[in-house]
Amino acid sequence: MGLEDVTLREKSVASGVRQLGRARPQNPSRDAVSMPSVYRRLSAESLRQALRKMHLIRRFEESAEDAYMRGLVHGTMHLSIGQEASAVGICATLEPTDYMTSTHRGHGHSIAKGAQVARMFAEFFGKEDGYCRGRGGSMHIADVSTGNLGANGIVGGGLPIAVGVALSMKKQRRSCVVVSFFGDGANNEGAFHEALNMASIWKLPVVFVCENNGYGMSTSTERSTAVKDVAERACAYSMPGIVVDGNDFAAVAQAAFDAVERARRGDGPSLIESKTYRIRGHSRSDRNRYRTKEEIEAWLARDPIVAFERELARLGFVSKSGIEAIRTDVECEIAEAIAFAKASPAPSVEELTRYVYSD
Amino acid sequence: MSTPIEATAILQRRRSSVEDTRSSGLSPEPRELSYAQAIQEAMAIAMERDERVFLMGEDIGVYGGAFQVTGDLVHRFGADRVMDTPISELGSAGVAIGAALTGLRPIFEFQFSDFSALAMEQIVNQAAKLRFMLGGAVSVPLVMRFPSGSGTGAAAQHSQSLEAWFAHVPGLKVVQPATPHDAKGCLLAAIADPDPVMIFEHKLLYKMKGEVPEGHYTVPLGKARLCRPGRDVTIVATSIMVHRSLAAAEELSREGIEAEVIDLRSLRPLDRDTLTQSVKRTHRLVCVYEGVKTLGIGAELSASIAESDAFDYLDAPILRLGGAECPIPYNPELEKAAVPQTPTIIAAVRDLIGGRL
Amino acid sequence: MATEVILPRVDMDMTEGRISRWYVEEGASVTKGQPIFEIETEKAAMEVEAPASGVIRDLATALEMKLPVGSVIAWIDAAGESGGKGMRSSTEDRAETKAKTPTTPDETAQYSIEEQSAPPPMQADHPAQLEGDGSAFRRATPLARHLAREHDVDLSSLEGSGPKGRIQATDVERSRAKADAAKAMPDRAARAKPSGAVLHCRWLRQGEGVPLVMIHGFGADLNAWRLFLAAARLGSPVLGIDLPGHGGSAARKAPSFDAMVAQVAATLRAECSDALHLAGHSLGGAVAAALSRHEETKPLSLFLIAPAGLGREINGEFISGFARAQSAAELAPFLPMLVSDPSVLGSSFIKATLRQRNGLDAGLENLGATLFPGATQAFSIRSVFEGLPIPAKIVLGGQDQIIPPRYTSGLPGNVAIHAFPALGHMPHVEAPDAVARLLRELMQSAAPK
Ligand SMILES: Cc1ncc(C[n+]2csc(CCOP(=O)(O)OP(=O)(O)O)c2C)c(N)n1
Ligand SMILES: [Mg+2]
């Protein structure tokens, strides 16, 4: 991919932005073309695992929603239904030792990076077996064992931290890469700009992944952001800025491979803008006043899981029965996870102030 | 198309609301509004009366605000006066300050008080100090609203009670209305005030209903409210803790303990007088607040009494019931345990009166 | 070192005697040789001198009771020492530094004979006392300390009922009530003291005979009488009462005139023998007058100094300004209204006036507004005098600027009016001797046969 890559990178420097993926989000139709290179770079097993993870995310989100409605979950939650390809496509290119920071809409990122749904459900239910021992809940799930440094309740909160982790890797001469997920809304926080600048001047191994789902809560990017594509911001910090179809696994993974390799080579950060859509409301209290039914339905037709299944089946990586097996397997895992979470003990009130400081 | 119909509806609504405001003095009929509605009404009245008033915040337009406080105001006043900002707390807070500095009267909503941390620079270093630094040449008539507090399962970064931070900064005024009546009156007073006023609104209060007079009225900033007289102990509380303290007082009264409950309402300016007078009557003081106990408002209240004339009237140690020394946890039981609840207050007062403390 | 005070044998064949009166109060500092109590034997009354200097404690409270010669009736603690030996009801109360407290027989052995002869020591870690530089510190609330200061109660003589032995306001009040009861008339000592709504009162003078009850004026307290009493040379015991909302008598809200009268009546019922003389100044004069017709009080005589309640007007400017004043400076403009020569009031009067108003719950201003709304007197005592069965005198100053002196005209002829043309609202302060003579005459004329 070397030559092709160089050309693309040069182009990106010239225009600031390059496009990956064969379809713009606005145009869901897709022609059969030759097999994208990621299908060669990832093993058949990895691809099937990627599909499984996308299913697992989807079912996790749906079950979390269900549990919420049954009153098992306290507080609110931000579901990533519709954004599965973005999370899995990025994380498919990472090593377990690579790091990740995530957002309030982070369930998918956690699962994609390798978290166990049982412990995630336990966290949702506020239990001691949860990833945060019931202290953090939906918005703070982290799994340090898989390099997942956690979701974040603060928009843009993870970006500078990711840069710091990258600095740490570089100083320690560890070859790990750091991926920082954030939403389109975060690109207007000062933290975003400050983080990108520092990552660039110090040539740090960070991949900034903006999951642009069109809205920061209710405010569309058109109303909130001066540039058309968030990726254009990369230009200001002298790093590649790439727009990809976030609902297309291969497109996301392709961009991620490039950025991760560049980072690992020591050439510095990249900004990937993954254009996608959240099907559910922003949170449980969203009344969808700011968008139309038609818009939601158009995106429903572009379901990333359906598309990925179709592609894998077309390319012969998975059979119809194979897909069925993945679905039932995921169903099983979810059911067991919920049972585990329900049975897990609640934290003791006696330990209220534990973990505030390192003992 | 739907636009003309909508436009008519908006026009009608606007007309009727104007009438509402006008007829205020004439109809003393008691009327209940929720805390959120009371705030919304205050903003509407202020915008009707004064063209300079406008709203800024994240998702306060068509979304109506994260807690539906601005609600439909965007339809009444248009997107120019109910401005959705990008998610840029530092910048937009600064923009509000600049507008206030030069003739406008912005009301700025933080989506959650926690996010004010991002805007601290502009609030603390700029808004609070500009007038002073410029030797009185300018003023910053800015109102900021902060949905605060725990109890919603929103965990550590969406549940804090940070009012004491702001109250520590000379140049800012900090109020915490506890009732719909005060929410409206304090907001209208804040809008009329020439200096930056920070209003902390407990999220659990938004749905609380209470009597709210119609029309324009103000509640003086810096004046505490005696909500319940009692001879045995003074409970001074802020925000939602006022209601928990009143519930506790009710229960204690059945045991023969008469607690006096004071709603502090304002942290800065601080009404030390009302508190001192009360402590002189009751000889005991319990401070109840949701912010973290250590170095919180209770410390200031206790110290005020210790320094005052009321010191010689104390017949028991001063007690502070504040938030636990930890971030707000997610688990509901832990979350409840992290801040004072009615039974906590009852137990503490019993111990105090019973001479166990 | 504590020295015991015993009931000495003062007569060859004396085996027992009784204390007829104490010259000192609990906790007072005494010097060796100073007369501290009076003893009565079959044959004579004798003064007994202090055997040592220091603070006197644990006074035997029962007067008139026969005690065997040699009984310990008090202790004198040398300066710097606190806590006594002997007549304690509870060893808990002993305040010694923890370090000194013997905890093992060995340690005990090192103690002096005196120490060993003391009653059993308190448990080693008695918490009522903090360790420190060796000086005894009593744990007490600020209010308890405040009250103790105000009423000359020695904290170290008290037992704290609060946690860790902390002395609370109730402890001070209880002890004060006890002391008052003990010091008052002998027959009163035995009388049960009802709890609750009685007013704060204090025996300003011990003595023989029918007690005189004195009621102060608006904004003052029972201490206001001390100056007068010092000059008055009365033989009878004198009880001062703090009106509600004044001095040590709390009032949750401003009481009405009738409520005041009722509370004073209740207090007298609890504190005093049936026979008594009544005297009052200004507002207190009105209260005294009303009491003379109260069904439960049967005074033998009525002595009113510049009484309120005889007419409608009162100096409103004075009432509100005097009530509002919080400092000597604020008080100053109002003093010339009280007396023709403000210097007679002295700084102690001003200090006492200001200090006592710290204790007001209801607020003097509120009280003023209730009793004297819009510069009028909201109550009347004129009906009291018609057919009054006891002798009554009214003393007033012709220059009174607070209450017009003309109001005494038209009162029935059985009331003696003594008008001092040159004096103001406080004749008893400006001419104590003359006023005291009138009082003594009145009381003598009304003395029981
Ligand atoms: C600093 C800060 N400001 C505001 C919020 C409230 N908030 C939470 S999510 C959100 C929208 C974020 O939009 P985006 O970054 O596009 O992420 P998305 O929700 O679309 O995934 C907002 C305003 C916050 N959590 N943190
Ligand atoms: Mg978004």
Side-chain angles (χ1 to χ4, degrees), chain A residues 104-105 153 155 183-186 189 213 215-216 282, chain B residues 58 89 111 115:
Chain A
H104 58 282
R105 201 175 303 287
V155 167
D184 49 283
E189 288 283 16
N213 55 14
Y215 299 92
H282 167 74
Chain B
E58 289 163 16
E89 287 81 6
Q111 202 161 81
F115 312 150

Side-chain angles (χ1 to χ4, degrees), chain A residues 276-293:
Chain A
T276 181
Y277 198 76
R278 62 166 157 74
I279 300 298
R280 294 293 192 274
H282 167 74
S283 69
R284 294 298 311 168
S285 45
D286 191 342
R287 293 182 293 172
N288 280 324
R289 282 185 175 177
Y290 51 90
R291 56 183 188 175
T292 62
K293 238 177 147 169

